[in-house]
C-alpha cells in the first residue's frame, strides 16, 4: 500500500531566490513558466499560481528581493553622511564588483532584466525603467550637493557629469556580462573619477571678495 502523508512544505523564500537567478540570467520574456516551476523545486501550476498569482507578479517580487539584497550597492547614493564623491565612488566600485562576480549571474538585473520586451509586457519594462531613473536621480543629487557644498565647480562640464556617471554605471552591465573582470572594471572606475577630480574646487584658489573702498 502506497504511503500517504503531508506534501513537502513549499519554501517561498528559496523559490524567489531561484527565480531571481533565472530572471537575472535570462531576462523576463525568455524565461518560461516551465523553467520557473522547475527551478523553484518542480512545483505544480496550482502551487505556483497560489503562491505568486502570475509570472509578472513573481517578477515584481524578484525585483524587490534584488533591490533589498544585491541592489544595496546603490545605498551610498542616498547616504548624506558621506561626501558626494565618496558616495559616488562607493556605489560605482561596489556595483562593479557585484556585477562582475562569478557567484551569481553577471550584470545588473535592473538594467538587463527587461530591456527588450514586447508591447504586452510594457509594464514590466516600465518597472525597471523607473528604478533606473531612481539611479539617475541619486547620481545627479550627489553632483548637485557637491556643487552646493563648494566641492565641485559649477560649469558645463559638471552639468554633464551626472549623465556621464549614469551612462558608465548602466554600461557596466554589458561589460560584466561579456566577461570583464572585477579588477578591470574597478580600474575603469578609477579613471572615470578623474573627471570628478578635474572639476573639483581647488582649495585656496577661490576668489576672495573685493574690499569696498573707504574713500
Amino acid at each position: 500500500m502506497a504511503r500517504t502523508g503531508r506534501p513537502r512544505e513549499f519554501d517561498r523564500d528559496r523559490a524567489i531566490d531561484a527565480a531571481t537567478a533565472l530572471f537575472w540570467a535570462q531576462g523576463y520574456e525568455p524565461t518560461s513558466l516551465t523553467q520557473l516551476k522547475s527551478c523553484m523545486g518542480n512545483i505544480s501550476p496550482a502551487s505556483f499560481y497560489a503562491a505568486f498569482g502570475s509570472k509578472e507578479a513573481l517578477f515584481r517580487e524578484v525585483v524587490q528581493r534584488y533591490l533589498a539584497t544585491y541592489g544595496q550597492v546603490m545605498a551610498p547614493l542616498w547616504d548624506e553622511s558621506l561626501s558626494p564623491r565618496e558616495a559616488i565612488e562607493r556605489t560605482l566600485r561596489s556595483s562593479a564588483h557585484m556585477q562582475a562576480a562569478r557567484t551569481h549571474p553577471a550584470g545588473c538585473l535592473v538594467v538587463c532584466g527587461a530591456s527588450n520586451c514586447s508591447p504586452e509586457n510594457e509594464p514590466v519594462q516600465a518597472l525597471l525603467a523607473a528604478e533606473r531613473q531612481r539611479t539617475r536621480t541619486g547620481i545627479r543629487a550627489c553632483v548637485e550637493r557637491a556643487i552646493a557644498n563648494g566641492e565641485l565647480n559649477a560649469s558645463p562640464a559638471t552639468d554633464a557629469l551626472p549623465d556621464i556617471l549614469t551612462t558608465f554605471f548602466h554600461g557596466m552591465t554589458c561589460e560584466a556580462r561579456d566577461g570583464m573582470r572585477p579588477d578591470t572594471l574597478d580600474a575603469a572606475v578609477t579613471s572615470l573619477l578623474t573627471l570628478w577630480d578635474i572639476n573639483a574646487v581647488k582649495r585656496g584658489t577661490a576668489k576672495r571678495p573685493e574690499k569696498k573702498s573707504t574713500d
Side-chain angles (χ1 to χ4, degrees), residues 169-181:
F169 174 79
H170 289 151
M172 283 197 294
T173 288
C174 291
E175 300 305 320
R177 290 178 77 88
D178 283 348
M180 187 172 285
R181 294 173 53 85

Side-chain angles (χ1 to χ4, degrees), residues 25-205:
Q26 298 186 174
Y28 179 76
E29 282 201 350
T31 299
S32 69
L33 283 173
T34 299
Q35 290 174 315
L36 286 168
K37 289 181 290 184
S38 175
C39 81
M40 291 190 289
N42 292 312
I43 63 174
S44 68
S47 294
F48 178 88
Y49 288 110
F52 304 109
S54 67
K55 176 183 172 182
E56 180 179 332
L58 170 61
F59 185 74
R60 290 178 180 275
E61 283 200 50
V62 159
V63 171
Q64 292 308 308
R65 174 66 60 84
Y66 177 88
L67 293 174
T69 52
Y70 300 101
Q72 285 301 296
V73 294
M74 309 302 297
L77 290 180
W78 295 277
D79 184 352
E80 294 195 0
S81 70
L82 302 174
S83 71
R85 189 190 186 284
E86 186 179 2
I88 292 288
E89 181 172 8
R90 284 194 187 185
T91 297
L92 289 174
R93 292 196 192 281
S94 296
S95 186
H97 283 267
M98 184 278 290
Q99 292 195 50
R102 296 294 182 261
T103 55
H104 51 67
C108 171
L109 174 65
V110 171
V111 175
C112 64
S115 59
N116 193 26
C117 287
S118 52
E120 59 266 29
N121 289 317
E122 190 278 335
V124 171
Q125 197 158 322
L127 170 69
L128 297 190
E131 289 299 330
R132 293 192 295 274
Q133 182 57 43
R134 185 169 180 266
T135 296
R136 292 186 188 95
T137 300
I139 290 173
R140 183 168 295 279
C142 285
V143 173
E144 290 176 350
R145 182 160 64 95
I147 294 171
N149 291 347
E151 298 170 41
L152 283 177
N153 290 302
S155 68
T158 49
D159 285 345
L161 191 55
D163 297 327
I164 294 169
L165 294 169
T166 301
T167 300
F168 179 92
F169 174 79
H170 289 151
M172 283 197 294
T173 288
C174 291
E175 300 305 320
R177 290 178 77 88
D178 283 348
M180 187 172 285
R181 294 173 53 85
D183 56 342
T184 305
L185 278 176
D186 191 75
V189 171
T190 298
S191 293
L192 176 68
L193 289 172
T194 62
L195 292 176
W196 183 291
D197 298 333
I198 287 169
N199 290 286
V201 173
K202 303 299 186 290
R203 299 304 176 190
T205 60

Side-chain angles (χ1 to χ4, degrees), residues 5-15 40-44 47 51:
R6 296 170 59 187
R8 184 175 56 183
E9 185 176 348
F10 175 61
D11 189 329
R12 200 173 192 283
D13 283 341
R14 291 182 68 178
M40 291 190 289
N42 292 312
I43 63 174
S44 68
S47 294

